[in-house]
Amino acid sequence: MRILTITKRIFVEMFRDKRTLALMFIAPLFILSLMYFLFQSNTNTVADIGTNNVSSSLIKAIDNKHITIHKMSANASAKQTIRDKDYAGFIKKTNGKLIVTYQNADQNKMAIIKKSVQMALIKTQIKQLAAATKKSKAGLMKMQAQLQQIKKQLPSTISGRIPAPSTPKNMQKPSSLKLSQHYLYGKSNSSFFTTMLPVFLGFMVFFFVFLISGISLLNERNSRTLDRLLATPVKRSEIIYGYLTGYGAVAIIQTAIIVLFCIYVLGIEILGNIAIVLLICFALAMVALSMGLFVSTFAASEFQMVQFIPIVVIHKFSSQV
Amino acid sequence: MDAVVTVTHVDKSFNKKRILHDVNLTASGHEILGLIGPSGAGKTTIIKNIMGMEQPDDGKVTIFGKEMPNRQVLQRIGFMAQDDALYESLTGRENLKFFAQLFGVKKDQLNERIEYTAGVVNLNQDLDKRVSNYSGGMKRRLSLAISLIQDPDLLVLDEPTVGIDPELRRQIWDELRKYAKDGKSIIITTHVMEDAAECDELLMIRDGHIITHGSPDSLEKKYQVDNLEQVFLKAGKSNENTDNN
Ligand SMILES: Nc1ncnc2c1ncn2[C@@H]1O[C@H](COP(=O)(O)OP(=O)(O)O)[C@@H](O)[C@H]1O
Ligand SMILES: [Mg+2]
């Protein structure tokens, strides 16, 4: 069982090399945690905006828990206010036009303001519409009353033939539209991170397996031990299978650690079968492994191996994302 | 005597530069064949062609009646490379065990073989140290021990005595002499004349040419000198003359 002999040797070598060990099992967790905190922040962002000459009804419509509104004096200019007070936006009404100026330093805040203003405009429009229908309803009632009077004045013979105008009972009440949102995957507090997690997960596994397996085969070649192996009865295929088995097993462990870390430490929900997640990551790791071993034949040093990353890894994931 | 290794008319070039010129040699059982020549003469290249690690441009290599490269034949060859190809993060014992397993040494013989080969090179005390902590000489000795691990019929050793102290060198030569007596065939390369005197047969190599061959005694007689260094110089000169003619 020469394949297992090689696999065992790879395990021992890796276990002795604490740096590789850390790179394989701790670095991915570290990076994932950093990303988690980086992309998680947008759920509780609050944007400050200044307003000038905006009607209080609109302000009320704009206001929500992600926005703090500051009323400014009538002569406050958008640029000056944003610069001085570091507000995320400024809303001003002139000649019936609503002018919104964004600081645009934080995309999250910009999006919040944009969304809030649009929502507010829709809300006020609906209100106006409702008011208009109310008015027309009142007009209709009045007409009905007049009709009734005319009817009374007519001779009774005719009046019997004229159908009594039915009161518009089913006249539509302007109902206020209630928005109710449902999420198929994740929850309302899903952040950018949770939606991107599967990609990150795959990326981590691919990246580290690619790098470390490639470098280890490269070292074997540079230290001449690969040449030495070819002076023994071992087949070339047995060397490659030994590597595949060794790093395949490492990849399984790595994937398991990353997935469990995401579920239990970062509290991310994974719908469906975790076994399938592991399986997909494992398949990815095998691809990374083959790529790493293949590319290592073209690289003369570890540094060149790193130079291959843009070609192999980025390309692979640009198509996935 | 039956030939174990025959090299016939081997030529080899690297980057259009001719390194080996028509190399012929025969190694038989019961004898130690020494390839002697200065550094860069092409000794390692000959060894690699013998092992099938390099393919000759022309000519052929036959070992145990089979043309190289041949994986089954490698099972019977103990090889020691010029540069110590060892796994630095493993201990000496783990290196020996790894190669023993690649050669299919039986489990019940494994420890016995490891202790024996380590004993030949006086490495028993240091077997459980990592190779990265070994000195240059210790690495040479471990490489030699690895080449003996599967009890091979043919030993191919590239500069085995470099960095080994005189006392241990004596011990190693005695051991090699014992193997030759047992019928094994041994090929070694060296650039030290003292080693050359230990061999049964010598091939003197310069710039990829075999300039002369024979037993140490017969060579000294032939060139009418009293040491092998002089033989090398004289043979080199006469070779130049024949080249020029
Ligand atoms: N793989 C190679 N590529 C190019 N040149 C080589 C290669 N291997 C050996 N040589 C050249 O062949 C010559 C003989 O080398 P070598 O066989 O190692 O000599 P020796 O072992 O006698 O010191 C040297 O000039 C060396 O530069
Ligand atoms: Mg050499």
Side-chain angles (χ1 to χ4, degrees), chain B residues 43-44 82 158-159:
Chain B
K43 304 182 295 293
T44 300
Q82 180 171 2
D158 199 352
E159 312 244 8

Side-chain angles (χ1 to χ4, degrees), chain A residues 2 9 16 220 228 233, chain B residues 71 79 87 89 94 102:
Chain A
R2 297 197 187 107
R9 196 209 77 219
R16 299 261 163 91
E220 174 121 36
R228 180 69 187 81
Chain B
R71 206 176 306 113
F79 172 63
Y87 296 101
S89 57
E94 285 164 338
L102 289 187

Side-chain angles (χ1 to χ4, degrees), chain B:
Chain B
M1 264 188 280
D2 51 327
V4 172
V5 181
T6 40
V7 175
T8 41
H9 302 299
V10 163
D11 293 331
K12 182 76 188 173
S13 303
F14 287 116
N15 311 323
K16 302 213 171 100
K17 192 171 169 273
R18 192 82 174 271
I19 301 300
L20 295 184
H21 302 260
D22 191 25
V23 170
N24 293 281
L25 68 86
T26 315
S28 315
H30 299 281
E31 74 169 24
I32 302 175
L33 173 69
L35 307 184
I36 186 161
S39 155
K43 304 182 295 293
T44 300
T45 310
I46 294 177
I47 295 294
K48 282 192 172 167
N49 276 280
I50 289 175
M51 292 300 293
M53 295 158 83
E54 298 274 7
Q55 277 280 46
D57 298 337
D58 203 11
K60 70 174 187 180
V61 176
T62 317
I63 302 180
F64 296 120
K66 302 231 169 65
E67 194 169 330
M68 295 301 282
N70 181 313
R71 206 176 306 113
Q72 268 76 50
V73 171
L74 287 175
Q75 174 68 39
R76 299 173 66 185
I77 306 178
F79 172 63
M80 175 179 176
Q82 180 171 2
D83 27 38
D84 303 298
L86 301 166
Y87 296 101
E88 298 261 333
S89 57
L90 302 187
T91 64
R93 188 188 301 283
E94 285 164 338
N95 269 283
L96 278 166
K97 194 172 163 192
F98 174 69
F99 281 99
Q101 285 171 338
L102 289 187
F103 278 104
V105 173
K106 296 271 183 317
K107 229 179 188 162
D108 49 333
Q109 291 171 2
L110 200 66
N111 283 327
E112 189 192 320
R113 286 305 298 172
I114 290 175
E115 289 303 327
Y116 165 72
T117 53
V120 172
V121 294
N122 274 1
L123 218 53
N124 304 65
Q125 307 301 314
D126 304 302
L127 268 188
D128 292 311
K129 277 189 201 159
R130 299 223 184 138
V131 173
S132 52
N133 297 328
Y134 276 20
S135 70
M138 285 161 85
K139 286 182 190 171
R140 282 319 279 151
R141 281 145 63 193
L142 181 59
S143 296
L144 184 56
I146 288 173
S147 73
L148 300 171
I149 195 74
Q150 87 277 29
D151 193 18
D153 300 320
L154 167 65
L155 274 171
V156 179
L157 313 174
D158 199 352
E159 312 244 8
T161 55
V162 172
I164 291 181
D165 60 86
E167 199 181 329
L168 185 61
R169 201 152 96 191
R170 186 70 258 142
Q171 186 183 328
I172 289 171
W173 272 113
D174 289 345
E175 198 72 23
L176 292 181
R177 180 56 59 201
K178 204 176 85 195
Y179 296 147
K181 210 177 245 168
D182 288 348
K184 293 185 201 299
S185 178
I186 300 166
I187 300 176
I188 79 157
T189 75
T190 181
H191 61 265
V192 209
M193 292 299 161
E194 292 159 54
D195 281 333
E198 304 277 351
C199 300
D200 300 316
E201 275 288 311
L202 282 180
L203 282 172
M204 292 199 170
I205 302 161
R206 225 183 63 170
D207 298 332
H209 295 270
I210 294 180
I211 52 176
T212 186
H213 64 98
S215 69
D217 289 343
S218 73
L219 284 175
E220 281 173 17
K221 239 178 244 158
K222 186 176 165 192
Y223 290 93
Q224 292 152 8
V225 289
D226 54 3
N227 65 51
L228 290 167
E229 208 159 342
Q230 303 264 314
V231 173
F232 191 85
L233 293 175
K234 266 198 162 175
K237 263 193 200 120
S238 62
N239 190 261
E240 261 166 30
N241 293 340
T242 49
D243 269 5
N244 292 342
N245 290 346

Side-chain angles (χ1 to χ4, degrees), chain A residues 18-88:
Chain A
K18 298 287 181 270
R19 223 170 0 145
T20 303
L21 217 58
L23 204 60
M24 212 59 182
F25 296 116
I26 300 178
L29 303 188
F30 188 67
I31 295 174
L32 275 176
S33 306
L34 279 182
M35 285 188 165
Y36 177 76
F37 289 117
L38 196 66
F39 293 118
Q40 195 70 349
S41 58
N42 63 358
T43 46
N44 44 21
T45 320
V46 176
D48 289 280
I49 52 173
T51 57
N52 183 357
N53 194 26
V54 180
S55 66
S56 59
S57 61
L58 186 57
I59 287 180
K60 224 170 102 191
I62 291 174
D63 201 9
N64 62 46
K65 67 177 194 289
H66 291 298
I67 279 183
T68 314
I69 292 169
H70 306 269
K71 274 192 189 143
M72 310 303 295
S73 60
N75 55 2
S77 89
K79 274 187 189 169
Q80 205 57 40
T81 315
I82 289 175
R83 284 215 182 110
D84 290 352
K85 312 220 159 161
D86 193 26
Y87 287 166

